[in-house]
Amino acid sequence: MTELLISLFVKRKDEVEDAGVRNSYGILGGIVGICCNVFLFAGKFFAGIMTGAISITADAFNNLSDAASSIITLIGFGIAGKPADEDHPFGHGRMEYIAGLMVALAILLMGFELLKSSVIKILHPEDITTSGITFVILIVSILVKFWMYLFNGSIAKRIHSETMKATASDSFNDCISTAAVFGGMLIFHFFGYNLDGYLGVLVACFVLWGGYGAVKDMLDPLLGSAPDQELVDNIKQMVLCHDMVIGIHDIVVHDYGPGRRIVSLHAEVPYTEDILTIHDVMDHIEMRLMEEYQCEATIHMDPVITDDKAVIETKQKVEHLVKSYDDSLSIHDFRMVTGKTHTNVIFDLVIPYGKKYQADSVVEDVKKTIRKEMEGNYYAVIHVDRV
């Protein structure tokens, strides 16, 4: 069914990096979500009125909120697919994240309302009834939601969409919550135990947990989360496969929405090479990054001395001392300025995020270590990078 819908409504379905194709996937997911959730809301709302069960009614309004979320997702993908303009030179891709955040907040709001209604039912229980049509509606709902979980998950995987991933997760949570309601109705039908209010609380907790996860998934890219490590490794591998490049550092990836990345990095090259030749190689690398990873790349060339024995040996000694202080530290852009009274060793010290110590104290410790451990009058001039 999933493949049939995609084949019918998404042209050039395999070109998922294309913004238009990606937008088509998002629109398809939104339309399917609206249709399915409105259908489920109508069925469960009818069953809730028939039985008087707050758990079924809560589940119905959960589906209604999902339909509203699908409308927001549909609008978000529509805006995200707009091309760049004068006011938004990097496009509108982050609107997908904003739409996803709105979906997540709607889920949380619905969860709190369901929780409140369910607690009232626990404190003031009311009689409920069961019928065959109620059980049929709940079973159909579980099956439909499980298919929606597979459908949305398939789209999320194809287009790498956090919004669709959150929608898929929400559909799976709906399966579990509806299954719990179904179980509760079976218990009441056969044993007479009224668990309606408690099951309503369980449904509300599933809704709130799903909303919390969705909020976190949407806030991370909006706040500027660390880039995907696989993408960074692929960029490094591609750049370093060129013989002219002997090292890279200071990779920065800006995410302006799926398929809209701005990348900058420093490439170390031999200082003896012709500048025009190096420039041509950098242009070629930038074009390859665009073609293979849809990254608009800017590469800064760092000339590195490769034939001065004293500089190379000193750099190796400094690297060893830095690593002995903390193996997670590294250096780059190493230079050496020799004078009559002392020698300055100048370099960038890279400190990973998450380290408990302060950068200033690390710099001072490294400077003291170089002064103490290296023979000769060496002074370190250090610039700190955080990665």
Side-chain angles (χ1 to χ4, degrees):
M1 185 65 174
T2 299
E3 288 299 326
L4 176 62
L5 287 173
I6 291 173
S7 298
L8 288 175
F9 296 102
V10 180
K11 297 179 180 178
R12 298 180 292 125
K13 62 179 182 178
D14 295 327
E15 300 176 22
V16 293
E17 298 295 346
D18 181 270
V21 174
R22 199 172 186 285
N23 189 46
S24 297
Y25 272 105
I27 291 173
L28 174 61
I31 292 174
V32 169
I34 293 169
C35 295
C36 290
N37 283 306
V38 168
F39 167 75
L40 294 176
F41 165 74
K44 289 180 184 177
F45 187 69
F46 172 72
I49 292 175
M50 285 182 58
T51 62
I54 184 62
S55 56
I56 298 179
T57 303
D59 212 21
F61 277 98
N62 181 30
N63 292 143
L64 185 63
S65 73
D66 290 343
S69 299
S70 294
I71 294 173
I72 296 172
T73 299
L74 196 62
I75 295 171
F77 269 97
I79 297 174
K82 291 175 60 179
D85 55 35
E86 184 177 353
D87 295 326
H88 308 90
F90 299 110
H92 301 77
R94 283 182 176 170
M95 182 53 70
E96 182 183 331
Y97 302 143
I98 296 174
L101 182 60
M102 294 173 66
V103 169
L105 293 176
I107 292 171
L108 285 176
L109 179 61
M110 181 60 65
F112 281 117
E113 289 298 321
L114 296 179
L115 182 62
K116 182 173 70 174
S117 300
S118 299
V119 170
I120 291 174
K121 279 284 186 176
I122 293 174
L123 298 176
H124 306 285
E126 298 178 4
D127 292 335
I128 61 174
T129 61
T130 61
S131 66
I133 187 66
T134 301
F135 291 120
V136 171
I137 289 173
L138 291 176
I139 291 172
V140 170
S141 176
I142 293 170
L143 294 175
V144 170
K145 273 296 182 177
F146 186 72
W147 174 79
M148 290 179 66
Y149 159 69
L150 297 176
F151 173 76
N152 291 317
S154 176
I155 291 181
K157 187 175 181 180
R158 286 170 184 255
I159 65 175
H160 306 290
S161 170
E162 290 297 330
T163 299
M164 296 306 299
K165 181 181 176 183
T167 304
S169 177
D170 184 50
S171 296
F172 186 73
N173 288 339
D174 288 347
C175 282
I176 299 175
S177 62
T178 304
V181 172
F182 178 74
M185 296 303 291
L186 283 177
I187 291 172
F188 176 76
H189 180 76
F190 288 107
F191 303 103
Y193 294 109
N194 187 350
L195 304 176
D196 184 41
Y198 298 97
L199 290 171
V201 170
L202 181 63
V203 172
C205 289
F206 271 111
V207 173
L208 290 170
W209 179 253
Y212 166 76
V215 167
K216 186 178 183 301
D217 288 341
M218 293 304 110
L219 279 179
D220 283 347
L222 284 172
L223 292 175
S225 59
D228 179 62
Q229 189 58 47
E230 183 179 356
L231 173 65
V232 174
D233 291 340
N234 288 338
I235 291 173
K236 288 180 178 180
Q237 184 177 357
M238 175 180 288
V239 176
L240 289 172
C241 76
H242 294 78
D243 294 336
M244 189 76 70
V245 180
I246 59 179
I248 59 175
H249 56 266
D250 289 349
I251 299 178
V252 178
V253 181
H254 295 284
D255 186 353
Y256 289 93
R260 298 170 176 85
R261 301 187 188 97
I262 309 296
V263 175
S264 64
L265 61 92
H266 290 217
E268 296 177 354
V269 295
Y271 82 106
T272 53
E273 295 290 342
D274 177 69
I275 187 69
L276 295 178
T277 303
I278 297 175
H279 186 271
D280 182 64
V281 172
M282 297 303 114
D283 278 348
H284 174 69
I285 296 174
E286 289 172 353
M287 286 188 290
R288 283 197 61 193
L289 288 172
M290 172 58 77
E291 291 170 357
E292 298 194 27
Y293 301 109
Q294 287 69 52
C295 298
E296 294 185 24
T298 301
I299 301 178
H300 173 80
M301 297 178 291
D302 278 340
V304 176
I305 295 175
T306 56
D307 58 358
D308 189 315
K309 184 177 180 181
V311 172
I312 294 172
E313 289 181 352
T314 304
K315 179 183 178 182
Q316 290 174 344
K317 291 177 183 178
V318 172
E319 285 178 329
H320 175 73
L321 291 174
V322 168
K323 287 291 183 182
S324 64
Y325 179 85
D326 187 332
D327 190 56
S328 67
L329 302 179
S330 61
I331 69 171
H332 60 77
D333 283 345
F334 184 88
R335 291 180 291 128
M336 201 167 79
V337 179
T338 303
K340 293 183 178 179
T341 59
H342 67 279
T343 298
N344 284 337
V345 287
I346 307 165
F347 57 90
D348 287 10
L349 178 67
V350 181
I351 303 176
Y353 287 115
K355 290 295 180 182
K356 300 299 183 183
Y357 42 63
Q358 296 294 318
D360 290 344
S361 65
V362 178
V363 169
E364 289 304 314
D365 288 345
V366 170
K367 285 182 176 180
K368 291 176 182 177
T369 301
I370 290 174
R371 287 278 296 136
K372 179 181 178 181
E373 299 295 334
M374 292 183 62
E375 295 183 4
N377 200 14
Y378 287 97
Y379 287 85
V381 180
I382 302 173
H383 175 264
V384 174
D385 280 347
R386 282 282 193 178
V387 297

